[in-house]
Amino acid sequence: MAIRRKDTVLFEKPPVIAAWAAAGGKKESEGPLAPGFDYLTQDAAFQEEACANWEQAESFLQQKAVELCLRKAGISRKEVDLALAGDLQAQCTASNYTMRALEIPFAGVYGACSTMAETLCLAASLAAGGIVHQVLAMTSSHFCAAERQFRTPLDYGAKRTPTAQWTATAAGTCLLRSPGQQGIPVLSVTFGRVQDYEVHDINNMGAAMMPAAASTLLRYFAATGTAPADFDAIFTGDLGEVGSTLLHEQMEKEGVPLPNHQDCGCLLYDVPSQKVQAGGSGPGCSAAVLCTHILPRLQAGTYRRVLFLATGALMSQTTFLQGESIPSIAHCVELGGKGTI
């Protein structure tokens, strides 16, 4: 049911994304994709929901995305065979506590900002192989939780550099089903390889992650014999303005220009007016753009074939303090639209 070509798995009978949902916070409600969200809040602390801290608030945001996705699919959580989820919190805390509440069979996944693409790759592979029939792929991030963990306390008021990106307070959930059902077909998945170009600046994630995006794209094109022109759009997430510029420069050098490239970190916010420096980031950024912007257009037939490529910086708070460079990875999902199969 699947063909392996180097790092890419092509599905002869594609699994499908049957339903999806996105939840976001105040910053996201002020951005250009706000109309596409299923749930938005002005209180990212969720105090009315009795959340005691930012970490609990992120878990609650995840739960809202799952609840809305399953409602759209018309099923209960008891009918889900497996959930694949991860986040930026240490040991994927938000996802662990979400699954404590939902009681769904669970496998934790950590890919930093690449987690949405990674969970989709794994979920599609499992569904295509008949191992699961209904599986959730999901992730989240929270600005306040991430800032406290990776950089400085919010009260410190540190000045952000122009290359820094804004961690999205957002969650995205997709329900995948086995082949032969209604939904957006997942045509292929490409698992990335870790790249490290010796970037040490924690405030320049775009530069750190760009080599992984270029590597995975080049491997995908070589394995499938395709070119950028074969796609309506090629989405990366989340390189932001800095990483996107570097990606275009690199792909030009490789002889594979990307005129149809868009970056989730540049789409989620109005970058200049919302003062997010180089754009958005965090696992929730690409997940939100996927669920509010990409999948609806595939469903409507505006797009017929796209690549969704999420990138992740694989450092930790400890390795950063030890002066280590920042390795990165990018996973790629090929999605079809109306009439693909």
Side-chain angles (χ1 to χ4, degrees):
M1 295 180 68
I3 301 170
R4 178 73 183 260
R5 292 183 185 168
K6 299 181 180 179
D7 297 344
T8 298
V9 179
L10 298 98
F11 302 116
E12 293 180 304
K13 294 182 178 179
V16 300
I17 300 176
W20 55 87
K26 184 175 185 297
K27 198 85 167 179
E28 293 67 35
S29 74
E30 299 166 348
L33 300 186
F37 276 85
D38 299 278
Y39 173 84
L40 288 165
T41 181
Q42 299 300 301
D43 176 22
F46 291 107
Q47 292 180 334
E48 291 186 0
E49 307 296 335
C51 291
N53 49 57
W54 302 120
E55 288 73 20
Q56 288 183 13
E58 182 176 345
S59 178
F60 185 83
L61 198 66
Q62 265 196 18
Q63 292 177 53
K64 290 298 293 185
V66 173
E67 172 194 333
L68 293 166
C69 179
L70 295 181
R71 185 183 302 172
K72 289 162 78 172
I75 64 171
S76 71
R77 62 176 185 253
K78 293 180 181 179
E79 297 173 78
V80 177
D81 298 315
L82 178 67
L84 300 168
D87 56 83
L88 286 181
Q89 290 184 33
Q91 289 82 49
C92 294
T93 306
S95 302
N96 297 338
Y97 281 83
T98 295
M99 293 306 156
R100 179 182 67 178
L102 297 179
E103 299 180 321
I104 295 171
F106 167 53
V109 175
Y110 183 77
C113 296
S114 73
T115 300
M116 192 68 222
E118 186 174 2
T119 57
L120 283 173
C121 286
L122 292 168
S125 299
L126 291 169
I131 298 169
V132 296
H133 298 291
Q134 299 197 112
V135 53
L136 291 174
M138 51 187 282
T139 190
S140 67
S141 54
H142 195 296
F143 175 80
C144 299
E147 287 297 307
R148 178 161 62 187
Q149 178 170 305
F150 285 103
R151 281 173 279 270
T152 56
L154 297 177
D155 294 342
Y156 181 68
K159 185 174 177 60
R160 300 171 63 83
T161 68
T163 59
Q165 293 171 243
W166 189 277
T167 304
T169 299
T173 300
C174 292
L175 176 73
L176 285 83
R177 285 178 172 153
S178 48
Q181 303 187 63
Q182 292 295 314
I184 305 299
V186 180
L187 303 177
S188 74
V189 299
T190 304
F191 292 95
R193 302 189 184 200
V194 175
Q195 305 292 310
D196 191 339
Y197 277 60
E198 297 296 322
V199 175
H200 289 76
D201 185 358
I202 198 172
N203 289 304
N204 194 352
M205 292 292 98
M209 296 187 295
M210 181 282 292
S215 171
T216 300
L217 281 173
L218 290 169
R219 291 178 188 278
Y220 170 81
F221 291 139
T224 60
T226 58
D230 295 321
F231 301 91
D232 296 301
I234 296 171
F235 294 93
T236 57
D238 314 300
L239 298 178
E241 291 185 336
V242 174
S244 294
T245 299
L246 293 172
L247 178 64
H248 280 269
E249 292 174 358
Q250 184 62 38
M251 295 299 282
E252 286 278 357
K253 292 177 183 177
E254 300 286 350
V256 189
L258 298 175
N260 53 348
H261 166 256
Q262 300 181 59
D263 185 71
C264 297
C266 299
L267 292 171
L268 184 61
Y269 304 116
D270 185 319
V271 175
S273 69
Q274 290 191 271
K275 299 180 181 178
V276 291
Q277 284 70 38
S281 69
C285 180
S286 59
V289 175
L290 175 69
C291 295
T292 64
H293 181 77
I294 302 171
L295 291 174
R297 281 161 176 75
L298 285 164
Q299 184 181 50
T302 306
Y303 293 147
R304 289 181 57 84
R305 190 183 184 194
V306 306
L307 291 180
F308 172 68
L309 182 95
T311 55
L314 302 178
M315 86 302 182
S316 71
Q317 186 183 42
T318 301
T319 58
F320 162 66
L321 293 173
Q322 292 171 341
E324 285 273 10
S325 58
I326 304 172
S328 62
I329 197 164
H331 304 289
C332 182
V333 183
E334 179 189 359
L335 299 169
K338 213 171 182 181
T340 305
I341 57 173

